[in-house]
């Protein structure tokens, strides 16, 4: 992150940026699950359903700044928060905090491996720690999500969702016929057969 990426002094974003320190990128992901600073209320920040971040009604157009704040995002039981060692502030997330924008696929069936890249450049291999889940969309279609970390999920974009659901197959799981996606070390059921053309 360069100096030009840092918001104006005195803003809520500036406080958060300064609390993280200049070498945050060299440290890897901050240990937000271990931080328990006081809750300082909400700031006017929103992650829209399309994955874009907004502050005080305006889009944040600096990718480096969005990536920075994505590393200190956490889902508490009551709300999504941005966390530093010294404060915790609430933000609004319209759907999922991240989007899965690229999918890599290797192998088939029991040997299949699937990995996603998110819009903030997290690399997420599907597996026990990063499962898939499928929810019903507003118009009766299916919305797939992949767990990124903690209780933070990425919504799979519509075009990738169609490719993902095209991999689905029917299996007998504990005496019940389920339609889902098989990945090495797991099978992720979809509630019912859905034509990819019906995705919301």
């Amino acid at each position: 992150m360069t100096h030009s990426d840092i918001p104006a002094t005195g803003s809520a974003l500036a406080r958060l940026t300064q609390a993280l320190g200049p070498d945050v990128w060299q440290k890897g992901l901050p240990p937000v699950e271990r931080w328990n600073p006081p809750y300082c209320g909400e700031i006017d920040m929103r992650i829209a359903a399309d994955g874009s971040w907004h502050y005080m009604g305006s889009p944040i157009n600096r990718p480096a700044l969005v990536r920075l704040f994505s590393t200190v995002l956490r889902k508490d039981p009551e709300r999504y928060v941005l966390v530093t060692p010294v404060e915790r502030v609430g933000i609004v997330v319209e759907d999922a905090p991240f989007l899965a924008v690229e999918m890599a696929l290797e192998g088939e069936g029991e040997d299949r491996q699937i990995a996603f890249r998110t819009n903030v450049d997290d690399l997420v291999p599907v597996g026990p720690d990063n499962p898939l889940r499928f929810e019903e969309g507003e118009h009766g279609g299916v919305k797939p999500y992949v767990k990124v970390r903690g209780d933070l999920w990425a919504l799979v974009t519509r075009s990738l969702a169609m490719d993902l659901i095209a991999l689905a197959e029917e299996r007998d799981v504990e005496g019940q016929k389920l339609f889902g996606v098989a990945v090495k070390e797991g099978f992720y059921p979809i509630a019912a057969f859905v034509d990819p053309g019906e995705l919301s």
Side-chain angles (χ1 to χ4, degrees), residues 75-86:
K75 177 67 166 63
D76 285 354
E78 307 85 9
R79 62 182 66 84
Y80 287 94
V81 294
L82 297 178
V83 188
T84 75
V86 296

Side-chain angles (χ1 to χ4, degrees), residues 8 30 82 119 123 168 174:
L82 297 178
N119 59 320
L123 300 179
E174 297 180 353

Side-chain angles (χ1 to χ4, degrees), residues 65-185:
L65 193 58
V66 170
R67 285 196 296 272
L68 172 65
F69 288 114
S70 76
T71 66
V72 292
L73 181 65
R74 187 175 79 191
K75 177 67 166 63
D76 285 354
E78 307 85 9
R79 62 182 66 84
Y80 287 94
V81 294
L82 297 178
V83 188
T84 75
V86 296
E87 69 177 317
R88 180 167 46 104
V89 294
I91 69 169
V92 173
V93 177
E94 291 184 350
D95 190 338
F98 307 128
L99 288 181
V101 296
E102 186 177 349
M103 182 172 72
L105 175 66
E106 184 175 335
E108 296 182 2
E110 299 291 347
D111 296 321
R112 180 183 291 133
Q113 297 180 52
I114 298 176
F116 291 97
R117 180 179 66 83
T118 73
N119 59 320
V120 290
D121 290 333
D122 290 299
L123 300 179
V124 185
V126 175
D129 294 332
N130 305 98
L132 294 169
R133 81 169 199 259
F134 297 87
E135 293 189 359
E136 185 176 347
E138 292 180 6
H139 306 292
V142 169
K143 295 168 65 175
Y145 297 80
V146 60
K147 187 175 184 179
V148 178
R149 60 181 175 272
D151 197 20
L152 303 177
W153 295 74
L155 172 65
V156 178
T157 59
R158 180 184 173 90
S159 59
L160 292 183
M162 295 174 71
D163 293 339
L164 183 64
I165 290 176
L167 300 172
E169 60 190 67
E170 189 178 277
R171 286 199 176 183
D172 192 336
V173 179
E174 297 180 353
Q176 182 180 7
K177 289 193 179 299
L178 297 176
F179 191 74
V181 177
V183 182
K184 190 173 184 179
E185 300 184 71

Side-chain angles (χ1 to χ4, degrees), residues 43-49 52-57 91-94:
I43 61 172
D44 188 6
M45 182 179 285
R46 173 177 60 92
I47 304 176
S52 60
W53 290 55
H54 301 256
Y55 180 60
M56 298 185 70
I91 69 169
V92 173
V93 177
E94 291 184 350

